[in-house]
């Protein structure tokens, strides 16, 4: 038991880096997802083609291959990434390609009548997206985004293979250092599970708020009404 | 000239041998995932609450932890408990169990999609429970979820490079080995990417056609 306390600091440091890489890649992935997803539903044929190539390429190959390619192959043509940057860029571009499909699907699922209404109101294309389509679409993107975030958290373990000292890498160090591997790996698995669980809870809260914001689901006011003092 | 064609042709056979291992791992892993997934889905409907809870907890835990750590666990930790697996064995078990937790959800959705009337009819006919599953529920549930299962098989295929971390000489490990010898990573790694596309694009195209066929 005392041994756990010895190696816990190293594991916590690793977990912190894991969370940082997850956050960095999530932001990059979100930007890519929206850029590519909006391009996929745009009127421009070129934009649609670029988006399709991006999505098919990153979804069609393996995340680890993409990471290796960024880290080992690109330096040969003169582009060099720091290991952590390579990790964030590879994971962000990868998860962004899955996110792009989520964005596209959610926008396509908005009923046609909503588009017709914006045309009737003579809204500009920008205004239509910004004020009518996206506020509704984003709410239905949240649950699949939550799943992707967990996939991303799990995917960050790949960066340990290019020697970034994330949680998985810390476990490997302890293993080669001769620690009790069974306990180390059980602790590491539980730490990943807890991080994933925390992210899931956060996303659920976001989903509830999102649903309430466009009048779906429970309206928070109801709870306040129930708490009103009894009439005298 | 950045790209060396002669070198490309030289290393192609070795990469293709790696591709064979990749495909083998995917196939064996898929069998594990498809069978175990169904078992897990059925256990989650067990009449015993203990079995439902334990299975549910197992599925949640495996789904939210990284496959790479699970592979390390199978390959590096199990020997200390007296179970020694080869890299390939650990790899296909890891892939299979990890994806079984995903396919179990797919099966579950398929089973829940079978209309209640089918269950009632089976009860009315006094069919034994094994017969209900075998002849009424599963034949209706499984065809509907084939495309979703297909997507997970493709996802598994793309995860096989992780097996290189536990000494399996699949395609990525082969490319890395070539790169380490020649200090040229560009060609082998790019080829690996292209070979992945070459397999996974037609595969996902087929799955999309399946989806249309089953009307989803």
């Amino acid at each position: 038991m005392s041994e756990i306390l010895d190696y816990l600091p190293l594991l916590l440091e690793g977990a912190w880096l894991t969370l940082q890489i997850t956050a960095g890649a999530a932001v990059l992935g979100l930007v890519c997802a929206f850029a590519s997803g909006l391009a996929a539903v745009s009127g421009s044929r070129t934009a649609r083609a670029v988006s399709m190539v991006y999505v098919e390429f990153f979804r069609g190959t393996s995340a680890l291959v993409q990471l290796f390619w960024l880290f080992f192959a690109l330096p040969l043509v003169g582009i060099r990434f720091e290991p952590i940057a390579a990790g964030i860029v590879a994971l962000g571009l990868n998860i962004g390609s899955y996110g792009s499909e989520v964005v596209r699907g959610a926008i396509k699922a908005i009923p046609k009548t909503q588009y017709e209404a914006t045309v009737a109101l003579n809204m500009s294309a920008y205004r239509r997206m910004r004020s009518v389509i996206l506020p509704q679409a984003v709410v239905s993107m949240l649950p699949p985004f939550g799943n992707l975030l967990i996939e991303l958290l799990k995917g960050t373990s790949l960066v340990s293979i290019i020697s970034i000292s994330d949680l998985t890498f810390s476990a490997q160090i302890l293993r080669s250092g001769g620690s009790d591997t069974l306990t180390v790996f059980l602790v590491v698995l539980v730490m990943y599970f807890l991080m994933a669980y925390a992210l899931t809870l956060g996303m659920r809260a976001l989903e509830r708020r999102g649903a309430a914001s466009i009048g779906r689901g429970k309206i928070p006011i109801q709870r306040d009404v129930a708490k009103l003092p009894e009439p005298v | 000239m950045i790209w060396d064609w002669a070198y490309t042709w030289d290393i192609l056979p070795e990469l293709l041998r790696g591709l064979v291992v990749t495909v083998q791992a995917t196939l064996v892993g898929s069998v594990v995932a498809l069978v175990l997934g169904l078992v897990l889905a059925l256990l989650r409907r067990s009449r015993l609450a203990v079995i439902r809870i334990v299975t549910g907890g197992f599925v949640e835990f495996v789904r939210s932890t990284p496959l790479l750590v699970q592979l390390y666990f199978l390959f590096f930790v199990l020997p200390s408990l007296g179970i020694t697996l080869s890299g390939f064995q650990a790899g296909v078990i890891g892939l299979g169990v990890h994806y079984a937790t995903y396919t179990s959800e797919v099966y579950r959705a398929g089973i829940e999609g079978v209309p209640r009337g089918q269950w009632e009819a089976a009860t009315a006919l006094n069919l034994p429970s094994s017969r209900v599953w075998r002849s009424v529920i599963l034949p209706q549930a499984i065809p509907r979820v084939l495309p979703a299962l297909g997507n997970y098989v493709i996802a598994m295929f793309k995860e096989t490079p992780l097996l290189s971390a536990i000494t399996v000489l699949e395609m990525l490990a082969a490319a890395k080995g070539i790169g380490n010898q020649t200090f040229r990573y560009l060609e082998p790694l790019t080829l690996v990417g292209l070979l992945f596309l070459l397999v996974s694009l037609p595969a996902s195209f087929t799955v999309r056609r399946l989806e249309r066929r089953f009307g989803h």
Side-chain angles (χ1 to χ4, degrees):
Chain A
M1 197 62 203
S2 62
E3 209 190 324
I4 297 181
L5 293 176
D6 288 342
Y7 55 66
L8 204 55
L10 183 68
L11 293 182
L12 285 175
E13 234 171 85
W16 174 233
L17 190 58
T18 290
L19 284 177
Q20 285 174 305
I21 293 172
T22 306
V27 171
L28 177 63
L30 201 60
V31 172
C32 292
F34 270 93
S36 163
L38 288 173
V41 295
S42 80
S44 150
R45 185 181 285 236
T46 328
R48 285 204 304 271
V50 170
S51 162
M52 200 188 86
V53 170
Y54 163 66
V55 170
E56 294 298 338
F57 179 79
F58 279 93
R59 287 189 354 153
T61 55
S62 162
L64 189 57
V65 175
Q66 290 155 21
L67 180 63
F68 271 31
W69 202 79
L70 273 184
F71 191 65
F72 292 110
L74 275 192
L76 294 175
V77 289
I79 306 168
R80 199 171 290 277
F81 281 101
E82 288 293 309
I84 293 188
I88 290 179
V89 170
L91 293 170
L93 287 174
N94 182 267
I95 208 77
S97 66
Y98 289 87
S100 169
E101 289 292 279
V102 171
V103 171
R104 188 177 67 98
I107 291 175
K108 287 257 172 182
I110 301 296
K112 238 187 125 182
T113 48
Q114 297 283 326
Y115 286 91
E116 290 163 1
T118 60
V119 173
L121 290 168
N122 199 22
M123 283 187 180
S124 66
Y126 172 75
R127 187 74 201 284
R128 174 200 318 156
M129 249 323 152
R130 165 94 186 62
S131 318
V132 180
I133 307 299
L134 278 184
Q136 301 179 64
V138 165
V139 172
S140 44
M141 288 174 206
L142 288 176
F145 274 163
N147 291 339
L148 286 181
L149 189 59
I150 304 299
E151 292 298 321
L152 175 60
L153 171 72
K154 285 158 53 185
T156 56
S157 64
L158 300 191
V159 301
S160 67
I161 299 179
I162 57 167
S163 306
I164 296 175
S165 48
D166 76 327
L167 183 51
T168 308
F169 191 78
S170 312
Q172 285 286 68
I173 288 189
L174 290 171
R175 182 182 66 76
S176 49
S179 299
D180 171 17
T181 47
L182 179 63
T183 333
V184 170
F185 273 85
L186 286 180
V187 170
V188 165
L189 284 170
V190 169
M191 283 169 84
Y192 271 111
F193 179 74
L194 291 178
M195 288 193 277
Y197 190 63
L199 289 178
T200 309
L201 288 185
M203 285 304 290
R204 289 225 184 105
L206 212 58
E207 280 168 35
R208 271 196 302 277
R209 276 189 55 180
S213 76
I214 59 163
R216 288 185 210 155
K218 277 189 200 139
I219 300 166
I221 292 170
Q222 281 173 335
R223 241 175 301 149
D224 298 333
V225 172
K227 273 189 221 142
L228 282 179
E230 295 282 318
V232 187
Chain B
M1 183 69 187
I2 297 172
W3 186 275
D4 186 343
W5 281 105
Y7 176 51
T8 307
W9 291 119
D10 269 359
I11 62 175
L12 194 57
E14 201 170 333
L15 291 180
L16 287 177
R17 273 197 294 278
L19 179 62
V20 172
V21 178
T22 294
V23 170
Q24 281 170 341
T26 310
L27 290 180
V28 181
S30 305
V31 173
V32 176
L34 293 177
V35 174
L36 185 63
L38 184 57
V39 172
L40 290 175
L42 294 179
L43 286 180
R44 285 189 91 167
R45 296 181 62 98
S46 161
R47 244 168 285 166
L48 292 174
V50 189
I51 296 183
R52 282 201 306 270
I53 293 168
V54 170
T55 318
F58 175 78
V59 168
E60 277 309 309
F61 190 80
V62 173
R63 262 167 77 101
S64 32
T65 49
L67 175 59
L68 183 60
V69 182
Q70 292 162 5
L71 291 177
Y72 285 155
F73 189 89
L74 291 172
F75 189 66
F76 293 120
V77 179
L78 283 191
S80 71
L81 302 175
I83 307 167
T84 308
L85 299 170
S86 74
F88 189 82
Q89 288 167 337
V92 293
I93 293 175
L95 274 175
V97 173
H98 192 83
Y99 276 90
T101 61
Y102 287 85
T103 55
S104 78
E105 293 290 306
V106 172
Y107 284 121
R108 186 159 80 140
I111 291 168
E112 279 168 8
V114 175
R116 259 182 71 105
Q118 298 289 326
W119 289 96
E120 291 164 356
T123 311
L125 290 170
N126 199 20
L127 294 179
S129 142
S130 66
R131 189 75 200 283
V132 177
W133 283 107
R134 203 157 37 81
S135 317
V136 183
I137 305 303
L138 292 183
Q140 297 184 70
I142 290 178
R144 255 188 275 212
V145 296
L146 279 181
L149 293 176
N151 277 328
Y152 281 121
V153 170
I154 299 173
M156 272 178 83
F157 169 67
K158 286 179 291 183
E159 295 254 49
T160 50
L162 293 191
L163 269 55
S164 66
I166 52 169
T167 71
V168 177
L169 255 183
E170 48 66 68
M171 201 165 28
L172 186 64
K176 190 78 195 311
I178 295 169
N180 287 343
Q181 282 165 20
T182 59
F183 300 106
R184 283 198 68 98
Y185 289 100
L186 183 65
E187 289 85 356
L189 287 177
T190 309
L191 277 179
V192 169
L194 288 176
L195 287 170
F196 264 101
L197 279 178
L198 212 64
V199 178
S200 71
L201 285 185
S204 34
F205 179 74
T206 314
V207 168
R208 263 175 246 167
R209 281 191 50 175
L210 263 180
E211 268 168 7
R212 270 201 297 273
R213 166 104 65 92
F214 287 105
H216 275 285

